[in-house]
Amino acid sequence: VKGVNAYANFVTLLGGRPIMAMDELFKTMAYRAELYAQAYRAEQQVRRAAMDAGVPRADAEKLGLQRMGEILSDPPGEIDDLARDFSHMVTFSRALTGSSAKIQELAQEHLLGRIVLPFVKTPVWVVSEGMQHSAIAPLSKQWRQDFMAGGAKRELAMAKWGMGSMIMIGAG
């Protein structure tokens, strides 16, 4: 028992904590990247609207930069949610839905499930993201949701599909 406990402590200290720290680091980097992208889009919209309303270019740029600064310093809830979702997508840690969520619940409720399926969320999202980066992306429910959402989500879905397909064709 002492040997098992020592091994568990060793794995936790040297294996688990650095992995969790790196996961948090990548989530933070992805969150900030998406927050900046959302703030930049808002800046461009404000600048274009001001210029369409007849505001001089220099003043329109100041208004746009002011809006960008507001978003970066105190992000609105919907932008914060988008950035948080993006950070979870990048680290394969989005919450599972549908049958995948039921499999995860089943695996966590029973000892045998924990032994046979210790990880459910990450492998499911790795397969899903891999599928979204291939020629069969339209078969993915997540890809279809992102495509139907329009805007930047649609552009990202199309970029995943196109780039992944081209890389696969090139490799083939």
Side-chain angles (χ1 to χ4, degrees):
V1 171
K2 288 183 179 183
V4 171
N5 285 342
Y7 178 73
N9 288 334
F10 174 76
V11 169
T12 302
L13 289 174
L14 296 179
R17 289 189 181 153
I19 290 172
M20 291 182 338
M22 290 306 294
D23 182 60
E24 288 302 316
L25 173 69
F26 285 115
K27 278 184 185 150
T28 300
M29 289 170 47
Y31 174 85
R32 294 300 302 173
E34 183 63 14
L35 183 63
Y36 184 81
Q38 292 291 336
Y40 179 76
R41 287 184 192 108
E43 182 266 336
Q44 292 292 308
Q45 291 171 347
V46 167
R47 186 179 58 80
R48 282 190 204 115
M51 288 178 66
D52 289 345
V55 174
R57 184 178 189 90
D59 293 338
E61 287 178 2
K62 285 180 185 176
L63 288 172
L65 289 174
Q66 180 182 359
R67 179 64 182 141
M68 187 175 184
E70 290 169 359
I71 290 173
L72 290 174
S73 64
D74 186 25
E78 66 274 359
I79 291 178
D80 186 58
D81 291 342
L82 286 170
R84 197 169 312 285
D85 181 58
F86 183 79
S87 73
H88 286 282
M89 186 249 324
V90 168
T91 57
F92 306 112
S93 59
R94 279 179 170 165
L96 294 174
T97 59
S99 59
S100 300
K102 291 178 182 168
I103 291 170
Q104 184 179 31
E105 287 175 23
L106 185 65
Q108 294 301 314
E109 288 176 6
H110 304 289
L111 178 61
L112 186 60
R114 288 184 194 166
I115 294 169
V116 175
L117 292 170
F119 308 106
V120 177
K121 186 189 302 186
T122 302
V124 166
W125 282 116
V126 167
V127 169
S128 176
E129 285 295 317
M131 186 177 182
Q132 292 176 53
H133 286 79
S134 71
I136 60 171
L139 298 177
S140 167
K141 182 179 177 183
Q142 184 66 45
W143 186 89
R144 289 192 310 270
Q145 287 175 347
D146 291 345
F147 183 81
M148 296 305 288
K153 282 195 173 204
R154 175 181 278 174
E155 292 172 8
L156 181 60
M158 293 300 291
K160 287 178 182 180
W161 185 26
M163 288 298 296
S165 297
M166 289 299 112
I167 290 170
M168 289 177 120
I169 289 169

